[in-house]
Each structure stands twice: as C-alpha cells, then as structure tokens.
Amino acid sequence: PVQVRIELLTDGQVIAREEGIVDAPGRFMAELDRKLGELAASASHPLVVRHFTSTRAIFAQEWNKALIYTKSNPEMAAECVTFAKKALQTLTERPEEFADERYLNGEREMVFSFIADDSTLQWYHFRLPAGYDPEKPVPSVVYLHGSGNPHPLHSVSGVFEPLSGPDPAWTEPVLRLAPWARGNYGYRDIAEADVMKSLSDAQRTVKVDKDRIYLMGHSLGGGGTWALALRYPDVWAAAAVSSGVTWFLPTGQGYGANASALPMLIWHGEADGSAANVQNAYDMQRELEAYGNKPEMRIIPGRGHDFLPPDHSSALKWLVGHQRRRPDKFSYKAAPGAPRGVWGVTMRLPRGGGLSNPSFTCEIEGNMVKISSEDVSRFSVKLGEGGLGLSGDVTVLVNGEQRYSGPAKDVEVGGDGGR
C-alpha cells in the first residue's frame, strides 16, 4: 500500500488536503499466494497438500490472465482481486477451519487441478464422505453444476467460505466430484473430456468403487447428465437428471438404446418456465421407453426450476440404491466424439472414418458372445476383467460367424480373416 496526500493550492496556499492509502490490486494476490504456499507447506496429508497447491496455481493462472486483458476487460481483474480478498480474509481470520482433519472428515471441500487434453490447467471439486476409510472403496457421485458466474475464481474461492454446518442436500456418505468443466460451456467437447478426466484423476487418487459411480446434475448440469449418461452408459451405476434439457444429445436419433439398462431418474418442475421446460423430461422418458428403459419419473406439480435440498437428498438416496451390472444384452450407437464402444466391446473403424454414427448390438449367452452390426465388422473385445467379465473359454461370433474361441482375454475379432 502507498500513503498518498492530495493538496489543493490557490496562490501557493493550501485550501484543501486529503490523505489516504492506495492499494495495489496485486498485493492481495501476492498475499494470498504466500498464504496458500504456507498452508501447503504445513499440511501433513498429501490430499490437503494437493488442494492448497492446486488452488494456489489456479489463482495465479487467473491473475496472470487478468493482467494480460486488464485494458480490454478490467472487470476480470477486479473480480480476481475481489475473490482473492474474500479467500484471504477467511484463511487469515479462521485458520482452524483449514486443518487437515476438516478435509479428511468431509467437512470441507477440496479443489484438485489437472492438465487437460488441451494442455490447460483445469480442476474439479472433491469432497470426502464423513467417516472416510482410505482402505475401503467409496461410492462416488459426479455432480454437474448448473450455469452461474462464469469467472473461474467464483468456483474456486467458494471452498474458502466459512463453515456453515452440513449441507442438507447431501445426506448420503459418498465421495463428491464436481468438475468445473469450463463453467457454462455445456459439458460438450473439451468440457465433456474434462468431466471424464476428473473422474479418472479421482480414481487414481483414492479408492473409488467402480460399480457405484453415479451421475447427477441440475439445469445445465441436467442436460450434461442426460448426454453423458447416454455417451458413457457403462461407467455409471445410475443417473439422475433434474430440470435438464435434451439439446446436448437430441432425442429421436436412437441414442436412447445406449441406456436401455441404465437406471435413470428424471425430475422436473411441472411449471418450469425456463428454457428447460418440462417437455424435456417427457422427451427423455419417451426416448428411454422406446428401448425398454422405464425411468423413475418425478414431475412436481406447481414447481418451477428450483431443485430444493429435500429433492436433491431424495434423488441421491435413490441413486445409491443401485449398483453397476453388465447387462446380458446391450446396444450402442456412437455419437460424434463419443467412445466407440461400451463394456469392453469397441468398434474398429476403417482409417479415415467414413461412419458418423456406427452402432452394434452384443448378446451374451453363458460364455458365447454374439456381436452384430450393419456398419462394422471388426471389433476389439475385452472378454475378461475390465470388460465383459467372463472367464474360462469363450466363443465370439461376429455377424453370425465364429471369429474366436479360446480363453477370456483381450482379442481382435471380425473383418477379413479375423479370429
């Protein structure tokens, strides 16, 4: 800070004087950077160390971006300082709230950064359940946020808010993952990749129960939940869409077949006057039922776009009652940019592509695997662990022809001479 004195002179005489302190905005960023560095150095648990290191890197990144664009977008720099001041105040005034045990007991949320597919620094929110045991696999909810303040530090600085007691919406002992996913980007393209990379990173960080991973989101996040449920149906044990839209993966194009065996809850306020009106819920229901999936429908009379804590808690309770199971029959249609298969069965497309939405159906009868497709004749198949989960000798038929018989392992089948 700089002490400044301003004097108004008339004929050499001082007729008014004002004194004050002028702060350099960068001072708050520097003080916060120092504080976060100290907290990272003093933390004893690696998860907490990573949290403080991650938030420090994110604040530094956003401030450096603000300095570049300060003339064209001064509001961006001003917001950075506002968020830094707020975080610094709580860290300084309530240091006891940021002890390791607060994070390890699930009382406080952490932020973990990672390098995304486009080489940028991205992050997700991470909160352990109360009573977390690092030796036991933990059920997890990937929560997709709705639209909000687009400034990245709005997302990050929230983890430094003073504690206000348990969140009434989160009543189940689950690990919570909330990807930033580029803010209001819509969970498509690189934002979709961020969501899946966040989950992969969390799975490397703690023991996640791979058969109890749930997907949930509201509004913008509800639309993302709908799309990611159909694009990655073998990842989730169940999915819950609240006030979601179908824009990110339109109905009527056959993608509902992908989730024919995925338990889904669809919640919507009947009087929702937003762009996410209740017709979206009925469109989702119709799409799923066309392929034999009867979703849990909760249409709330008189309710608008609000998804209240009791609704959230009820949906969460419904989710955790499910466990992922590989169906004996499944179909998959690949949307643009989506994986080329599920449950370890992957379509091998010709070089140069040429197929925009290839699809296949797989039936499993005992240890016989039958794959059929009008688009593709060659497949990679994980017959054992990490795929179809079979053991012993397995026979694989592709479009009615036997292409493999032998131990349950990773195989390439189909095509010319495939075996």
Side-chain angles (χ1 to χ4, degrees):
V2 178
Q3 181 77 32
V4 175
R5 174 187 293 174
I6 301 174
E7 295 181 340
L8 180 61
L9 304 178
T10 300
D11 296 330
Q13 299 296 316
V14 177
I15 61 172
R17 177 184 293 119
E18 188 68 40
E19 294 186 8
I21 294 176
V22 176
D23 260 325
R27 179 175 74 89
F28 295 104
M29 304 303 297
E31 288 186 11
L32 179 60
D33 182 77
R34 178 183 55 77
K35 185 65 176 178
L36 292 172
E38 290 175 353
L39 289 166
S42 63
S44 59
H45 196 281
L47 292 181
V48 183
V49 173
R50 183 180 176 188
H51 162 62
F52 286 123
T53 302
S54 294
T55 51
R56 184 185 188 188
I58 296 164
F59 268 97
Q61 170 182 264
E62 295 308 314
W63 178 240
N64 286 332
K65 285 162 57 177
L67 291 177
I68 294 173
Y69 295 107
T70 186
K71 288 186 177 180
S72 60
N73 190 357
E75 294 83 5
M76 182 179 180
E79 278 196 279
C80 280
V81 175
T82 298
F83 291 128
K85 282 182 177 180
K86 194 173 181 181
L88 184 61
Q89 181 179 2
T90 310
L91 287 168
T92 303
E93 294 178 355
R94 305 191 184 192
E96 71 282 354
E97 288 198 13
F98 304 95
D100 283 25
E101 58 267 21
R102 294 284 192 174
Y103 294 99
L104 303 179
N105 290 334
E107 297 176 55
R108 294 207 71 94
E109 193 171 61
M110 292 180 264
V111 168
F112 290 165
S113 61
F114 62 90
I115 302 301
D117 290 348
D118 61 352
S119 299
T120 61
L121 184 71
Q122 300 298 326
W123 61 90
Y124 61 98
H125 291 242
F126 177 97
R127 191 163 189 163
L128 294 169
Y132 168 69
D133 183 346
E135 298 304 315
K136 295 181 180 179
V138 60
S140 308
V141 173
V142 176
Y143 183 78
L144 306 184
H145 63 76
S147 60
N149 187 322
H151 198 293
L153 293 184
H154 174 76
S155 160
V156 177
S157 64
V159 300
F160 299 117
E161 294 284 343
L163 286 174
S164 57
D167 188 332
W170 291 88
T171 53
E172 301 296 323
V174 294
L175 173 68
R176 289 183 252 171
L177 309 175
W180 164 241
R182 320 288 167 125
N184 298 336
Y185 199 86
Y187 302 102
R188 291 169 288 185
D189 305 321
I190 192 64
E192 174 186 307
D194 286 353
V195 172
M196 303 312 295
K197 197 154 190 176
S198 296
L199 176 57
S200 297
D201 185 82
Q203 290 176 305
R204 289 190 297 269
T205 303
V206 297
K207 289 186 177 181
V208 171
D209 186 340
K210 63 182 177 58
D211 292 324
R212 298 190 68 198
I213 302 173
Y214 308 101
L215 182 63
M216 184 179 190
H218 177 67
S219 192
L220 181 79
T225 297
W226 168 253
L228 269 66
L230 271 58
R231 291 165 74 90
Y232 301 86
D234 56 337
V235 172
W236 323 110
V241 178
S242 67
S243 301
V245 296
T246 61
W247 311 331
F248 305 155
L249 200 59
T251 58
Q253 298 185 17
Y255 296 117
N258 297 358
S260 62
L262 178 66
M264 290 190 70
L265 181 153
I266 298 172
W267 185 103
H268 221 110
E270 188 179 44
D272 193 332
S274 72
N277 59 63
V278 72
Q279 186 58 46
N280 285 274
Y282 293 126
D283 289 345
M284 293 177 196
Q285 179 186 27
R286 185 174 60 251
E287 177 78 6
L288 293 172
E289 288 185 346
Y291 300 97
N293 184 341
K294 294 189 178 298
E296 172 82 8
M297 296 296 292
R298 297 183 183 178
I299 308 300
I300 312 303
R303 183 74 67 80
H305 197 63
D306 295 328
F307 190 55
L308 304 177
D311 305 311
H312 186 120
S313 180
S314 177
L316 184 61
K317 188 176 183 64
W318 181 88
L319 281 173
V320 300
H322 295 87
Q323 187 159 330
R324 186 182 71 128
R325 290 182 176 86
R326 188 262 298 152
D328 289 334
K329 181 177 180 179
F330 55 89
S331 297
Y332 184 75
K333 181 177 182 177
R340 292 299 184 229
V342 288
W343 296 109
V345 180
T346 303
M347 294 176 280
R348 303 289 287 177
L349 303 182
R351 290 182 179 179
L355 295 174
S356 58
N357 301 115
S359 63
F360 71 89
T361 296
C362 179
E363 290 187 72
I364 300 157
E365 299 175 359
N367 270 30
M368 179 172 289
V369 178
K370 301 178 181 180
I371 304 172
S372 58
S373 172
E374 296 182 358
D375 309 311
V376 184
S377 62
R378 190 168 186 84
F379 297 83
S380 296
V381 186
K382 292 181 177 290
L383 295 170
E385 187 176 354
L388 295 178
L390 302 175
S391 59
D393 286 339
V394 180
T395 299
V396 181
L397 279 66
V398 176
N399 293 329
E401 294 187 38
Q402 181 174 317
R403 292 296 191 170
Y404 174 80
S405 183
K409 62 179 184 177
D410 295 359
V411 296
E412 295 279 330
V413 295
D416 294 333
R419 57 187 185 137

